[in-house]
Amino acid sequence: MENSEIDFSQQDPKALLNLVLTQLERGDFQQRWEISKILPDLGTIALEPLLNILQDETADVEMRWFVARILGNFKSELIIEPLINLLKNAKIEATEAEISLHEITTVTLAGFGISAIAPLTQLLEKPDSKLLATQTLAQIRHSETIPPLLTVVDDPNSQIRAMAIEALGSFRDPRVIPILLAALNDPVADVRKQAVIGLGVRLDLLENINLVEKLKPLLWDIRPEVCQQTQLALARLKTDEAATAIFEQVQSQSVPLALKIDGVRSLGWIETAKSLDYLQEIFLTFDPQFNLNLNPITIEEITLIQETVQCIGRIETRELQEQATQILINLINSNHPAVSDPKIKQLIALGLGKLGLIEAINPLINLLVDPNPSVRFHCISALKQIEPEQTYQHLQNLSQQENISSDIKQAVLMALSEICRGGFIEI
């Protein structure tokens, strides 16, 4: 049934309500979905029969799900008590459909905001309804939920603890800080992760609490999802101490590749001179000139270096772009074994183009003679992004020199042709 099929002005409201409720009872999922769009337009006349359906435990669970969802459109506090009762009477061994009904009920209740906090707080006292009450309170996101949520942060049920910590982490309230710090040592990974997330956005705590020192042990958590969130949290703090902690993790032989890659990305997001130094040092770790005991470079190490190059090429802080450019240029000019990988040369060219400094022109020109056509394409693409007028003039002057090799000259002419064809320069 489409909304357009019903003319509200031409029908008796009660007759129309009965028609719509019949469709709700007999219809399939799609028909019920369409009905759910219509019922709120009937106004408060629909409230009583909808509440009767909601509270009827013999009624079809899917229909009750739709009713719980529909009731969210009625901002009447009369709805709160029946919704609370539904959660209060929820079965511990619920079916999948009943669990879905409970979840939509929590969403509808949360929509009532402050009005729902007091009855939900009472539900916390009942073991059977505590989980659903916590789930609902966690969605309200109002400071008045802090006191009831604080009462469940040590609950034996780890789901309840995790929900409470996640919600409390969104408030800048002094009562929350010791709770989040304590939750870093929770025996359950999801609780620790939520505590890390909550603390990771609190840059205001850096002056009063050594937040890096508190978070750093979680980089070595037994669960990778906790380690990953800790990397992100430290990256948001953007301090040299945070960069050092992440770098030490990346350099560890016991850390899996996926976490190392996430660590490299976090170093890139920190964007300080120190974090850039650490990214460069990752290159040196795999350079035989600096590591005499180095084994032949592996595919995993190549992958890590590729990610490192990309992070350096994405630096947006103007004051650091010169340092980033020089690191990539030094890598091109080195005998680093990774530079023989075409993908890495492509990424270096791409990074130099994004950084956009004229110091990159000559190194990119030297890469134009690379035997790999994709590397040459990336070099030309990068040259187009670097001060088009200066780049064009530099290439033009170079093409007219007689003391350059034929390979370089041919590559320069090809780059000039591409730059002109791309419309970057008016000739």
Side-chain angles (χ1 to χ4, degrees):
M1 176 186 292
E2 299 289 341
N3 295 24
S4 57
E5 294 178 10
I6 297 179
D7 184 352
F8 287 89
S9 63
Q10 299 298 318
Q11 296 196 42
D12 175 67
K14 288 187 178 180
L16 181 56
L17 176 61
N18 290 332
L19 171 64
V20 172
L21 290 175
T22 300
Q23 290 290 333
L24 181 66
E25 182 180 0
R26 298 176 181 174
D28 58 22
F29 186 91
Q30 185 58 43
Q31 289 169 325
R32 286 172 168 173
W33 187 268
E34 294 301 328
I35 288 295
S36 70
K37 301 175 187 177
I38 296 170
L39 267 165
D41 295 332
L42 295 174
T44 55
I45 190 176
L47 263 182
E48 184 178 348
L50 287 174
L51 289 173
N52 289 337
I53 295 170
L54 180 74
Q55 296 171 94
D56 182 1
E57 295 186 5
T58 65
D60 177 64
V61 177
E62 184 186 275
M63 180 169 66
R64 294 172 74 201
W65 183 94
F66 273 103
V67 168
R69 183 176 179 273
I70 292 164
L71 287 170
N73 293 285
F74 295 87
K75 297 307 176 185
S76 168
E77 294 192 6
L78 295 172
I79 298 168
I80 294 177
E81 186 178 352
L83 291 169
I84 289 287
N85 288 336
L86 194 151
L87 296 185
K88 187 188 298 184
N89 299 321
K91 300 175 185 175
I92 296 176
E93 299 294 329
T95 65
E96 189 175 336
E98 288 169 337
I99 291 171
S100 184
L101 171 60
H102 301 154
E103 288 175 348
I104 194 65
T105 302
T106 67
V107 172
T108 300
L109 263 174
F112 285 93
I114 298 175
S115 303
I117 293 175
L120 285 167
T121 301
Q122 292 177 359
L123 277 189
L124 291 177
E125 299 171 7
K126 299 180 179 296
D128 292 350
S129 55
K130 189 185 289 188
L131 177 62
L132 290 169
T134 304
Q135 184 179 345
T136 311
L137 285 166
Q139 295 177 64
I140 293 176
R141 291 299 200 257
H142 189 282
S143 59
E144 288 191 23
T145 63
I146 294 176
L149 287 171
L150 288 174
T151 67
V152 296
V153 293
D154 293 320
D155 194 88
N157 187 326
S158 63
Q159 279 185 277
I160 290 175
R161 297 200 305 276
M163 287 177 187
I165 293 297
E166 185 274 332
L168 289 168
S170 66
F171 297 108
R172 299 212 166 196
D173 186 291
R175 292 171 290 179
V176 168
I177 305 309
I179 301 299
L180 295 180
L181 290 172
L184 293 175
N185 298 310
D186 194 279
V188 175
D190 192 37
V191 181
R192 298 196 299 273
K193 184 178 83 169
Q194 296 303 335
V196 169
I197 293 171
L199 289 168
V201 296
R202 296 300 301 272
L203 275 68
D204 57 305
L205 297 178
L206 283 171
E207 292 183 7
N208 303 318
I209 299 173
N210 190 342
L211 204 49
V212 173
E213 201 60 34
K214 301 289 186 185
L215 291 171
K216 192 161 60 171
L218 280 298
L219 285 172
W220 308 95
D221 197 273
I222 58 172
R223 295 302 297 265
E225 65 270 26
V226 177
C227 300
Q228 184 184 47
Q229 284 300 330
T230 307
Q231 291 169 335
L232 293 172
L234 290 170
R236 290 190 190 101
L237 301 180
K238 291 185 176 292
T239 67
D240 287 344
E241 189 183 359
T244 300
I246 295 171
F247 175 68
E248 289 172 355
Q249 183 199 40
V250 172
Q251 291 292 81
S252 171
Q253 295 296 318
S254 63
V255 173
L257 177 65
L259 267 182
K260 288 185 179 227
I261 288 174
D262 287 334
V264 166
R265 289 171 182 157
S266 296
L267 284 171
W269 291 329
I270 290 175
E271 290 210 18
T272 64
K274 188 71 172 175
S275 67
L276 266 178
D277 286 341
Y278 284 139
L279 288 171
Q280 182 176 28
E281 199 165 331
I282 291 170
F283 295 146
L284 303 183
T285 305
F286 305 111
D287 191 336
Q289 294 183 61
F290 297 91
N291 188 346
L292 297 177
N293 299 318
L294 191 67
N295 293 318
I297 198 162
T298 66
I299 294 175
E300 282 196 354
E301 290 164 348
I302 287 285
T303 302
L304 188 65
I305 292 172
Q306 288 175 354
E307 191 61 45
T308 305
V309 170
Q310 289 185 83
C311 288
I312 294 171
R314 293 192 194 110
I315 294 297
E316 295 180 352
T317 305
R318 195 72 182 166
E319 297 76 16
L320 296 176
Q321 287 183 332
E322 186 173 344
Q323 180 187 353
T325 298
Q326 195 56 55
I327 291 172
L328 294 181
I329 291 172
N330 290 344
L331 184 60
I332 292 176
N333 294 333
S334 71
N335 292 319
H336 197 294
V339 181
S340 61
D341 180 69
K343 178 67 174 176
I344 286 180
K345 284 187 276 193
Q346 292 168 29
L347 292 172
I348 291 173
L350 188 65
L352 289 172
K354 285 183 178 178
L355 292 166
L357 300 187
I358 58 174
E359 292 87 343
I361 293 176
N362 281 332
L364 285 169
I365 288 172
N366 290 334
L367 272 180
L368 281 173
V369 297
D370 192 272
N372 188 294
S374 185
V375 173
R376 298 196 298 270
F377 171 80
H378 280 78
C379 287
I380 292 171
S381 178
L383 286 167
K384 291 176 179 179
Q385 298 176 65
I386 302 173
E387 298 292 343
E389 293 288 347
Q390 290 187 53
T391 301
Y392 178 80
Q393 193 58 53
H394 188 90
L395 290 170
Q396 189 79 314
N397 293 340
L398 196 59
S399 69
Q400 295 170 3
Q401 292 180 16
E402 296 181 359
N403 59 343
I404 62 171
S405 70
S406 59
D407 288 344
I408 288 281
K409 189 163 189 175
Q410 185 178 356
V412 166
L413 290 172
M414 180 178 67
L416 281 168
S417 172
E418 287 294 326
I419 290 173
C420 292
R421 189 170 64 180
F424 291 86
I425 296 294
E426 292 185 8
I427 302 177

PDB file of all heavy atoms in Angstrom, residues 32-61:
ATOM      1  N   ARG A  32       4.027  -3.799   5.509  1.00  0.00           N
ATOM      2  CA  ARG A  32       4.123  -3.207   6.851  1.00  0.00           C
ATOM      3  C   ARG A  32       5.041  -1.995   6.860  1.00  0.00           C
ATOM      4  O   ARG A  32       4.806  -1.022   7.581  1.00  0.00           O
ATOM      5  CB  ARG A  32       4.604  -4.265   7.854  1.00  0.00           C
ATOM      6  CG  ARG A  32       3.523  -5.285   8.203  1.00  0.00           C
ATOM      7  CD  ARG A  32       4.073  -6.428   9.039  1.00  0.00           C
ATOM      8  NE  ARG A  32       2.976  -7.240   9.587  1.00  0.00           N
ATOM      9  CZ  ARG A  32       3.150  -8.378  10.234  1.00  0.00           C
ATOM     10  NH1 ARG A  32       4.371  -8.877  10.391  1.00  0.00           N
ATOM     11  NH2 ARG A  32       2.107  -9.038  10.701  1.00  0.00           N
ATOM     12  N   TRP A  33       6.079  -2.065   6.084  1.00  0.00           N
ATOM     13  CA  TRP A  33       7.004  -0.926   5.979  1.00  0.00           C
ATOM     14  C   TRP A  33       6.272   0.309   5.441  1.00  0.00           C
ATOM     15  O   TRP A  33       6.464   1.422   5.937  1.00  0.00           O
ATOM     16  CB  TRP A  33       8.178  -1.314   5.074  1.00  0.00           C
ATOM     17  CG  TRP A  33       9.261  -0.269   5.037  1.00  0.00           C
ATOM     18  CD1 TRP A  33       9.399   0.767   4.168  1.00  0.00           C
ATOM     19  CD2 TRP A  33      10.366  -0.168   5.942  1.00  0.00           C
ATOM     20  NE1 TRP A  33      10.505   1.513   4.455  1.00  0.00           N
ATOM     21  CE2 TRP A  33      11.117   0.960   5.546  1.00  0.00           C
ATOM     22  CE3 TRP A  33      10.797  -0.910   7.036  1.00  0.00           C
ATOM     23  CZ2 TRP A  33      12.286   1.358   6.207  1.00  0.00           C
ATOM     24  CZ3 TRP A  33      11.945  -0.517   7.706  1.00  0.00           C
ATOM     25  CH2 TRP A  33      12.678   0.601   7.287  1.00  0.00           C
ATOM     26  N   GLU A  34       5.472   0.097   4.431  1.00  0.00           N
ATOM     27  CA  GLU A  34       4.707   1.213   3.859  1.00  0.00           C
ATOM     28  C   GLU A  34       3.662   1.728   4.854  1.00  0.00           C
ATOM     29  O   GLU A  34       3.454   2.937   4.979  1.00  0.00           O
ATOM     30  CB  GLU A  34       4.018   0.764   2.559  1.00  0.00           C
ATOM     31  CG  GLU A  34       4.969   0.412   1.426  1.00  0.00           C
ATOM     32  CD  GLU A  34       5.870   1.568   1.025  1.00  0.00           C
ATOM     33  OE1 GLU A  34       5.423   2.736   1.126  1.00  0.00           O
ATOM     34  OE2 GLU A  34       7.012   1.309   0.621  1.00  0.00           O
ATOM     35  N   ILE A  35       3.011   0.817   5.571  1.00  0.00           N
ATOM     36  CA  ILE A  35       2.010   1.203   6.567  1.00  0.00           C
ATOM     37  C   ILE A  35       2.653   2.052   7.664  1.00  0.00           C
ATOM     38  O   ILE A  35       2.059   3.002   8.188  1.00  0.00           O
ATOM     39  CB  ILE A  35       1.347  -0.049   7.188  1.00  0.00           C
ATOM     40  CG1 ILE A  35       0.419  -0.712   6.180  1.00  0.00           C
ATOM     41  CG2 ILE A  35       0.593   0.295   8.459  1.00  0.00           C
ATOM     42  CD1 ILE A  35      -0.775   0.134   5.793  1.00  0.00           C
ATOM     43  N   SER A  36       3.907   1.688   8.032  1.00  0.00           N
ATOM     44  CA  SER A  36       4.588   2.420   9.105  1.00  0.00           C
ATOM     45  C   SER A  36       4.815   3.883   8.753  1.00  0.00           C
ATOM     46  O   SER A  36       4.994   4.724   9.632  1.00  0.00           O
ATOM     47  CB  SER A  36       5.929   1.744   9.439  1.00  0.00           C
ATOM     48  OG  SER A  36       6.864   1.924   8.379  1.00  0.00           O
ATOM     49  N   LYS A  37       4.785   4.203   7.450  1.00  0.00           N
ATOM     50  CA  LYS A  37       4.921   5.599   7.021  1.00  0.00           C
ATOM     51  C   LYS A  37       3.596   6.355   7.153  1.00  0.00           C
ATOM     52  O   LYS A  37       3.567   7.578   7.271  1.00  0.00           O
ATOM     53  CB  LYS A  37       5.399   5.658   5.569  1.00  0.00           C
ATOM     54  CG  LYS A  37       6.738   4.975   5.307  1.00  0.00           C
ATOM     55  CD  LYS A  37       7.031   4.988   3.812  1.00  0.00           C
ATOM     56  CE  LYS A  37       8.269   4.177   3.461  1.00  0.00           C
ATOM     57  NZ  LYS A  37       8.504   4.128   1.998  1.00  0.00           N
ATOM     58  N   ILE A  38       2.495   5.608   7.122  1.00  0.00           N
ATOM     59  CA  ILE A  38       1.162   6.216   7.124  1.00  0.00           C
ATOM     60  C   ILE A  38       0.635   6.460   8.535  1.00  0.00           C
ATOM     61  O   ILE A  38       0.066   7.508   8.831  1.00  0.00           O
ATOM     62  CB  ILE A  38       0.166   5.308   6.367  1.00  0.00           C
ATOM     63  CG1 ILE A  38       0.560   5.183   4.905  1.00  0.00           C
ATOM     64  CG2 ILE A  38      -1.261   5.822   6.500  1.00  0.00           C
ATOM     65  CD1 ILE A  38      -0.220   4.129   4.155  1.00  0.00           C
ATOM     66  N   LEU A  39       0.830   5.483   9.411  1.00  0.00           N
ATOM     67  CA  LEU A  39       0.198   5.520  10.730  1.00  0.00           C
ATOM     68  C   LEU A  39       0.463   6.804  11.526  1.00  0.00           C
ATOM     69  O   LEU A  39      -0.464   7.350  12.129  1.00  0.00           O
ATOM     70  CB  LEU A  39       0.628   4.300  11.543  1.00  0.00           C
ATOM     71  CG  LEU A  39      -0.329   3.104  11.425  1.00  0.00           C
ATOM     72  CD1 LEU A  39       0.309   1.832  11.942  1.00  0.00           C
ATOM     73  CD2 LEU A  39      -1.621   3.391  12.192  1.00  0.00           C
ATOM     74  N   PRO A  40       1.681   7.335  11.548  1.00  0.00           N
ATOM     75  CA  PRO A  40       1.904   8.563  12.318  1.00  0.00           C
ATOM     76  C   PRO A  40       1.036   9.730  11.844  1.00  0.00           C
ATOM     77  O   PRO A  40       0.690  10.618  12.643  1.00  0.00           O
ATOM     78  CB  PRO A  40       3.395   8.856  12.104  1.00  0.00           C
ATOM     79  CG  PRO A  40       4.004   7.523  11.799  1.00  0.00           C
ATOM     80  CD  PRO A  40       2.958   6.802  11.017  1.00  0.00           C
ATOM     81  N   ASP A  41       0.669   9.723  10.551  1.00  0.00           N
ATOM     82  CA  ASP A  41      -0.155  10.822  10.020  1.00  0.00           C
ATOM     83  C   ASP A  41      -1.576  10.787  10.558  1.00  0.00           C
ATOM     84  O   ASP A  41      -2.304  11.787  10.450  1.00  0.00           O
ATOM     85  CB  ASP A  41      -0.184  10.756   8.484  1.00  0.00           C
ATOM     86  CG  ASP A  41       1.184  10.994   7.868  1.00  0.00           C
ATOM     87  OD1 ASP A  41       1.989  11.708   8.496  1.00  0.00           O
ATOM     88  OD2 ASP A  41       1.452  10.461   6.775  1.00  0.00           O
ATOM     89  N   LEU A  42      -1.982   9.661  11.131  1.00  0.00           N
ATOM     90  CA  LEU A  42      -3.333   9.571  11.686  1.00  0.00           C
ATOM     91  C   LEU A  42      -3.443  10.255  13.046  1.00  0.00           C
ATOM     92  O   LEU A  42      -4.548  10.451  13.558  1.00  0.00           O
ATOM     93  CB  LEU A  42      -3.746   8.103  11.810  1.00  0.00           C
ATOM     94  CG  LEU A  42      -3.895   7.346  10.485  1.00  0.00           C
ATOM     95  CD1 LEU A  42      -4.171   5.873  10.746  1.00  0.00           C
ATOM     96  CD2 LEU A  42      -5.006   7.946   9.651  1.00  0.00           C
ATOM     97  N   GLY A  43      -2.285  10.573  13.648  1.00  0.00           N
ATOM     98  CA  GLY A  43      -2.305  11.312  14.907  1.00  0.00           C
ATOM     99  C   GLY A  43      -2.544  10.439  16.118  1.00  0.00           C
ATOM    100  O   GLY A  43      -2.436   9.208  16.076  1.00  0.00           O
ATOM    101  N   THR A  44      -2.928  11.092  17.225  1.00  0.00           N
ATOM    102  CA  THR A  44      -3.027  10.401  18.519  1.00  0.00           C
ATOM    103  C   THR A  44      -4.130   9.333  18.550  1.00  0.00           C
ATOM    104  O   THR A  44      -4.128   8.485  19.444  1.00  0.00           O
ATOM    105  CB  THR A  44      -3.287  11.421  19.643  1.00  0.00           C
ATOM    106  OG1 THR A  44      -4.453  12.199  19.313  1.00  0.00           O
ATOM    107  CG2 THR A  44      -2.110  12.347  19.823  1.00  0.00           C
ATOM    108  N   ILE A  45      -5.046   9.382  17.590  1.00  0.00           N
ATOM    109  CA  ILE A  45      -6.097   8.355  17.536  1.00  0.00           C
ATOM    110  C   ILE A  45      -5.493   6.953  17.383  1.00  0.00           C
ATOM    111  O   ILE A  45      -6.108   5.952  17.776  1.00  0.00           O
ATOM    112  CB  ILE A  45      -7.072   8.657  16.365  1.00  0.00           C
ATOM    113  CG1 ILE A  45      -8.298   7.742  16.450  1.00  0.00           C
ATOM    114  CG2 ILE A  45      -6.378   8.499  15.021  1.00  0.00           C
ATOM    115  CD1 ILE A  45      -9.342   8.045  15.388  1.00  0.00           C
ATOM    116  N   ALA A  46      -4.280   6.892  16.844  1.00  0.00           N
ATOM    117  CA  ALA A  46      -3.640   5.588  16.606  1.00  0.00           C
ATOM    118  C   ALA A  46      -2.886   5.072  17.819  1.00  0.00           C
ATOM    119  O   ALA A  46      -2.506   3.894  17.868  1.00  0.00           O
ATOM    120  CB  ALA A  46      -2.680   5.695  15.419  1.00  0.00           C
ATOM    121  N   LEU A  47      -2.674   5.939  18.827  1.00  0.00           N
ATOM    122  CA  LEU A  47      -1.813   5.552  19.939  1.00  0.00           C
ATOM    123  C   LEU A  47      -2.339   4.339  20.719  1.00  0.00           C
ATOM    124  O   LEU A  47      -1.602   3.374  20.948  1.00  0.00           O
ATOM    125  CB  LEU A  47      -1.654   6.725  20.904  1.00  0.00           C
ATOM    126  CG  LEU A  47      -0.389   7.582  20.734  1.00  0.00           C
ATOM    127  CD1 LEU A  47      -0.346   8.671  21.780  1.00  0.00           C
ATOM    128  CD2 LEU A  47       0.848   6.717  20.809  1.00  0.00           C
ATOM    129  N   GLU A  48      -3.601   4.385  21.148  1.00  0.00           N
ATOM    130  CA  GLU A  48      -4.119   3.320  22.003  1.00  0.00           C
ATOM    131  C   GLU A  48      -4.051   1.954  21.329  1.00  0.00           C
ATOM    132  O   GLU A  48      -3.539   0.984  21.929  1.00  0.00           O
ATOM    133  CB  GLU A  48      -5.554   3.636  22.436  1.00  0.00           C
ATOM    134  CG  GLU A  48      -6.105   2.605  23.420  1.00  0.00           C
ATOM    135  CD  GLU A  48      -7.514   2.936  23.882  1.00  0.00           C
ATOM    136  OE1 GLU A  48      -7.982   4.072  23.631  1.00  0.00           O
ATOM    137  OE2 GLU A  48      -8.160   2.053  24.476  1.00  0.00           O
ATOM    138  N   PRO A  49      -4.558   1.797  20.088  1.00  0.00           N
ATOM    139  CA  PRO A  49      -4.465   0.470  19.462  1.00  0.00           C
ATOM    140  C   PRO A  49      -3.019   0.024  19.225  1.00  0.00           C
ATOM    141  O   PRO A  49      -2.713  -1.181  19.317  1.00  0.00           O
ATOM    142  CB  PRO A  49      -5.221   0.630  18.139  1.00  0.00           C
ATOM    143  CG  PRO A  49      -5.323   2.095  17.897  1.00  0.00           C
ATOM    144  CD  PRO A  49      -5.331   2.740  19.238  1.00  0.00           C
ATOM    145  N   LEU A  50      -2.118   0.966  18.943  1.00  0.00           N
ATOM    146  CA  LEU A  50      -0.711   0.600  18.743  1.00  0.00           C
ATOM    147  C   LEU A  50      -0.090   0.104  20.049  1.00  0.00           C
ATOM    148  O   LEU A  50       0.648  -0.894  20.063  1.00  0.00           O
ATOM    149  CB  LEU A  50       0.079   1.801  18.203  1.00  0.00           C
ATOM    150  CG  LEU A  50      -0.173   2.175  16.737  1.00  0.00           C
ATOM    151  CD1 LEU A  50       0.559   3.459  16.380  1.00  0.00           C
ATOM    152  CD2 LEU A  50       0.262   1.048  15.787  1.00  0.00           C
ATOM    153  N   LEU A  51      -0.409   0.793  21.143  1.00  0.00           N
ATOM    154  CA  LEU A  51       0.126   0.364  22.438  1.00  0.00           C
ATOM    155  C   LEU A  51      -0.436  -0.989  22.843  1.00  0.00           C
ATOM    156  O   LEU A  51       0.269  -1.814  23.462  1.00  0.00           O
ATOM    157  CB  LEU A  51      -0.185   1.416  23.506  1.00  0.00           C
ATOM    158  CG  LEU A  51       0.611   2.727  23.380  1.00  0.00           C
ATOM    159  CD1 LEU A  51       0.111   3.765  24.373  1.00  0.00           C
ATOM    160  CD2 LEU A  51       2.105   2.480  23.585  1.00  0.00           C
ATOM    161  N   ASN A  52      -1.695  -1.255  22.493  1.00  0.00           N
ATOM    162  CA  ASN A  52      -2.281  -2.573  22.776  1.00  0.00           C
ATOM    163  C   ASN A  52      -1.540  -3.675  22.033  1.00  0.00           C
ATOM    164  O   ASN A  52      -1.287  -4.758  22.587  1.00  0.00           O
ATOM    165  CB  ASN A  52      -3.766  -2.580  22.385  1.00  0.00           C
ATOM    166  CG  ASN A  52      -4.614  -1.730  23.323  1.00  0.00           C
ATOM    167  OD1 ASN A  52      -4.228  -1.474  24.466  1.00  0.00           O
ATOM    168  ND2 ASN A  52      -5.769  -1.276  22.843  1.00  0.00           N
ATOM    169  N   ILE A  53      -1.209  -3.405  20.777  1.00  0.00           N
ATOM    170  CA  ILE A  53      -0.458  -4.403  19.986  1.00  0.00           C
ATOM    171  C   ILE A  53       0.919  -4.609  20.598  1.00  0.00           C
ATOM    172  O   ILE A  53       1.407  -5.738  20.739  1.00  0.00           O
ATOM    173  CB  ILE A  53      -0.333  -3.950  18.514  1.00  0.00           C
ATOM    174  CG1 ILE A  53      -1.706  -3.910  17.843  1.00  0.00           C
ATOM    175  CG2 ILE A  53       0.613  -4.876  17.748  1.00  0.00           C
ATOM    176  CD1 ILE A  53      -1.697  -3.256  16.470  1.00  0.00           C
ATOM    177  N   LEU A  54       1.592  -3.517  20.952  1.00  0.00           N
ATOM    178  CA  LEU A  54       2.943  -3.605  21.518  1.00  0.00           C
ATOM    179  C   LEU A  54       2.959  -4.493  22.756  1.00  0.00           C
ATOM    180  O   LEU A  54       3.880  -5.298  22.951  1.00  0.00           O
ATOM    181  CB  LEU A  54       3.444  -2.202  21.880  1.00  0.00           C
ATOM    182  CG  LEU A  54       4.848  -2.134  22.489  1.00  0.00           C
ATOM    183  CD1 LEU A  54       5.903  -2.377  21.404  1.00  0.00           C
ATOM    184  CD2 LEU A  54       5.100  -0.794  23.173  1.00  0.00           C
ATOM    185  N   GLN A  55       1.935  -4.363  23.603  1.00  0.00           N
ATOM    186  CA  GLN A  55       1.913  -5.071  24.882  1.00  0.00           C
ATOM    187  C   GLN A  55       1.302  -6.473  24.787  1.00  0.00           C
ATOM    188  O   GLN A  55       1.306  -7.217  25.771  1.00  0.00           O
ATOM    189  CB  GLN A  55       1.134  -4.237  25.912  1.00  0.00           C
ATOM    190  CG  GLN A  55       1.827  -2.897  26.196  1.00  0.00           C
ATOM    191  CD  GLN A  55       0.978  -1.957  27.036  1.00  0.00           C
ATOM    192  OE1 GLN A  55       1.100  -1.923  28.254  1.00  0.00           O
ATOM    193  NE2 GLN A  55       0.098  -1.206  26.382  1.00  0.00           N
ATOM    194  N   ASP A  56       0.814  -6.805  23.620  1.00  0.00           N
ATOM    195  CA  ASP A  56       0.194  -8.128  23.429  1.00  0.00           C
ATOM    196  C   ASP A  56       1.275  -9.161  23.098  1.00  0.00           C
ATOM    197  O   ASP A  56       1.780  -9.232  21.975  1.00  0.00           O
ATOM    198  CB  ASP A  56      -0.836  -8.054  22.307  1.00  0.00           C
ATOM    199  CG  ASP A  56      -1.561  -9.374  22.087  1.00  0.00           C
ATOM    200  OD1 ASP A  56      -1.263 -10.345  22.827  1.00  0.00           O
ATOM    201  OD2 ASP A  56      -2.409  -9.439  21.177  1.00  0.00           O
ATOM    202  N   GLU A  57       1.645  -9.971  24.081  1.00  0.00           N
ATOM    203  CA  GLU A  57       2.732 -10.929  23.892  1.00  0.00           C
ATOM    204  C   GLU A  57       2.359 -12.081  22.962  1.00  0.00           C
ATOM    205  O   GLU A  57       3.223 -12.847  22.529  1.00  0.00           O
ATOM    206  CB  GLU A  57       3.180 -11.482  25.248  1.00  0.00           C
ATOM    207  CG  GLU A  57       3.801 -10.408  26.133  1.00  0.00           C
ATOM    208  CD  GLU A  57       4.384 -10.971  27.419  1.00  0.00           C
ATOM    209  OE1 GLU A  57       4.385 -12.220  27.577  1.00  0.00           O
ATOM    210  OE2 GLU A  57       4.847 -10.189  28.253  1.00  0.00           O
ATOM    211  N   THR A  58       1.056 -12.192  22.663  1.00  0.00           N
ATOM    212  CA  THR A  58       0.628 -13.245  21.729  1.00  0.00           C
ATOM    213  C   THR A  58       0.649 -12.750  20.281  1.00  0.00           C
ATOM    214  O   THR A  58       0.478 -13.543  19.345  1.00  0.00           O
ATOM    215  CB  THR A  58      -0.796 -13.733  22.076  1.00  0.00           C
ATOM    216  OG1 THR A  58      -1.720 -12.652  21.876  1.00  0.00           O
ATOM    217  CG2 THR A  58      -0.861 -14.211  23.513  1.00  0.00           C
ATOM    218  N   ALA A  59       0.819 -11.454  20.096  1.00  0.00           N
ATOM    219  CA  ALA A  59       0.823 -10.882  18.737  1.00  0.00           C
ATOM    220  C   ALA A  59       2.104 -11.246  18.004  1.00  0.00           C
ATOM    221  O   ALA A  59       3.134 -11.585  18.611  1.00  0.00           O
ATOM    222  CB  ALA A  59       0.666  -9.363  18.812  1.00  0.00           C
ATOM    223  N   ASP A  60       2.042 -11.174  16.689  1.00  0.00           N
ATOM    224  CA  ASP A  60       3.204 -11.449  15.835  1.00  0.00           C
ATOM    225  C   ASP A  60       4.366 -10.530  16.219  1.00  0.00           C
ATOM    226  O   ASP A  60       4.201  -9.310  16.320  1.00  0.00           O
ATOM    227  CB  ASP A  60       2.809 -11.234  14.369  1.00  0.00           C
ATOM    228  CG  ASP A  60       3.975 -11.439  13.431  1.00  0.00           C
ATOM    229  OD1 ASP A  60       4.483 -12.572  13.358  1.00  0.00           O
ATOM    230  OD2 ASP A  60       4.399 -10.451  12.792  1.00  0.00           O
ATOM    231  N   VAL A  61       5.556 -11.107  16.447  1.00  0.00           N
ATOM    232  CA  VAL A  61       6.704 -10.322  16.931  1.00  0.00           C
ATOM    233  C   VAL A  61       7.137  -9.286  15.892  1.00  0.00           C
ATOM    234  O   VAL A  61       7.483  -8.150  16.242  1.00  0.00           O
ATOM    235  CB  VAL A  61       7.892 -11.255  17.290  1.00  0.00           C
ATOM    236  CG1 VAL A  61       9.101 -10.425  17.720  1.00  0.00           C
ATOM    237  CG2 VAL A  61       7.487 -12.202  18.394  1.00  0.00           C
TER     238      VAL A  61
END
